[in-house]
Amino acid sequence: MVLFSEDHIQETRRRGRIEVICGSMFSGKTEELIRRMKRAKFAKQRVEIFKPAIDTRYSEEDVVSHDSHSIASTPIDSSASILLFTSEIDVVGIDEAQFFDSGLVDVCNQLANNGIRVIVAGLDMDFKGNPFGPMPQLCAIADEVSKVHAICVKCGQLASFSHRTVKNEKQVLLGETSEYEPLCRECYLRARKEDEKQI
Ligand SMILES: Nc1ncnc2c1ncn2[C@@H]1O[C@H](COP(=O)(O)OP(=O)(O)O)[C@@H](O)[C@H]1O
Ligand SMILES: Cc1cn([C@H]2C[C@H](O)[C@@H](COP(=O)(O)O)O2)c(=O)[nH]c1=O
Ligand SMILES: [Zn+2]
């Protein structure tokens, strides 16, 4: 089976569409976004990548994966800013979409309706297992959704959940391996029960 996003005719025909890459932390969302954006650059397409300005974990400017793959990006505070930078662009990439405002859904639709290929990567669920920010709506309007998985650090199965290992109930808490671990459903449920005992 050829992925829609890897079908070279789809990749280069310059028809607007929305691709969503979702999953837990460490599942390879950013790597997959960078891979697709770099392929578009090789195809001589004009690309622009955006990330939320609050995400300063590895770099203020670049989008950087946990494995140190990186690509230049434009940090922005509001989804509306994307429209200001994309008049001459063929492919728009957006990382950490869960942190954006709900206006991102309309922005992605507008871009795709204007013939732009939009590739959005983000966490589908927060540490409580609840849908995160505009991600559910983005999945709903997408032409293609790729759900990627990390490896459960407890048992080696596929992981869909991001377990927070520090005490903090805020939905937004930037972090990496010191704050989060990817777990499968079984190990996640067990870990959450243990967390509840400690409250
Ligand atoms: N438990 C894990 N399962 C899979 N990959 C992991 C794990 N822990 C660390 N990694 C690293 O994370 C990389 C993926 O990073 P990244 O694309 O930034 O993920 P995401 O954006 O989904 O958080 C993998 O290639 C791997 O090197
Ligand atoms: C689960 C969860 C995560 N976050 C933060 C932690 C990281 O800074 C990002 C996710 O980055 P990744 O590229 O997917 O690894 O989101 C958060 O703020 N709240 C949460 O519930
Ligand atoms: Zn597990």
Side-chain angles (χ1 to χ4, degrees):
M1 189 188 76
V2 180
L3 280 178
F4 187 47
S5 57
E6 281 218 336
D7 174 344
H8 198 55
I9 297 169
Q10 295 287 356
E11 238 179 354
T12 54
R13 73 199 295 203
R14 295 170 200 243
R15 276 253 186 112
R17 69 174 187 278
I18 301 170
E19 298 165 26
V20 170
I21 305 163
C22 65
S24 71
M25 288 183 68
F26 309 100
S27 59
K29 302 181 299 297
T30 301
E31 278 177 2
E32 180 59 18
L33 173 67
I34 292 172
R35 191 180 77 91
R36 291 186 196 180
M37 297 307 293
K38 286 188 174 168
R39 283 167 66 88
K41 276 191 184 181
F42 279 121
K44 303 268 184 291
Q45 297 183 344
R46 296 161 298 179
V47 311
E48 188 72 50
I49 300 138
F50 299 94
K51 71 169 192 177
I54 60 159
D55 183 29
T56 50
R57 268 180 315 170
Y58 293 118
S59 160
E60 298 268 338
E61 293 282 332
D62 297 349
V63 161
V64 183
S65 79
H66 293 296
D67 220 11
S68 306
H69 297 247
S70 70
I71 194 162
S73 74
T74 304
I76 48 169
D77 287 315
S78 156
S79 64
S81 305
I82 295 175
L83 296 173
L84 306 175
F85 291 99
T86 44
S87 55
E88 300 284 302
I89 295 298
D90 302 306
V91 185
V92 167
I94 302 164
D95 200 19
E96 305 291 354
Q98 75 277 357
F99 291 147
F100 278 108
D101 51 281
S102 58
L104 185 62
V105 180
D106 205 43
V107 167
C108 290
N109 253 332
Q110 278 191 54
L111 293 171
N113 293 347
N114 288 332
I116 295 175
R117 178 183 177 200
V118 186
I119 311 174
V120 190
L123 281 177
D124 43 12
M125 287 184 279
D126 67 12
F127 73 106
K128 290 183 174 171
N130 294 324
F132 207 158
M135 288 302 290
Q137 287 91 337
L138 289 167
C139 287
I141 63 161
D143 298 270
E144 180 193 293
V145 179
S146 309
K147 178 135 180 169
V148 287
H149 297 85
I151 299 298
C152 174
V153 295
K154 301 259 191 232
C155 76
Q157 295 295 314
L158 293 183
S160 307
F161 295 87
S162 310
H163 176 233
R164 187 177 282 173
T165 54
V166 292
K167 272 194 188 163
N168 185 320
E169 289 298 302
K170 285 188 190 157
Q171 189 182 43
V172 175
L173 173 73
L174 298 186
E176 301 155 39
T177 47
S178 315
E179 291 83 14
Y180 295 96
E181 59 185 6
L183 297 179
C184 69
R185 183 180 292 275
E186 209 180 326
C187 294
Y188 174 77
L189 290 175
R190 200 175 302 130
R192 289 286 290 169
K193 271 193 190 148
E194 285 301 314
D195 295 344
E196 276 162 26
K197 276 189 209 161
Q198 278 154 29
I199 292 171

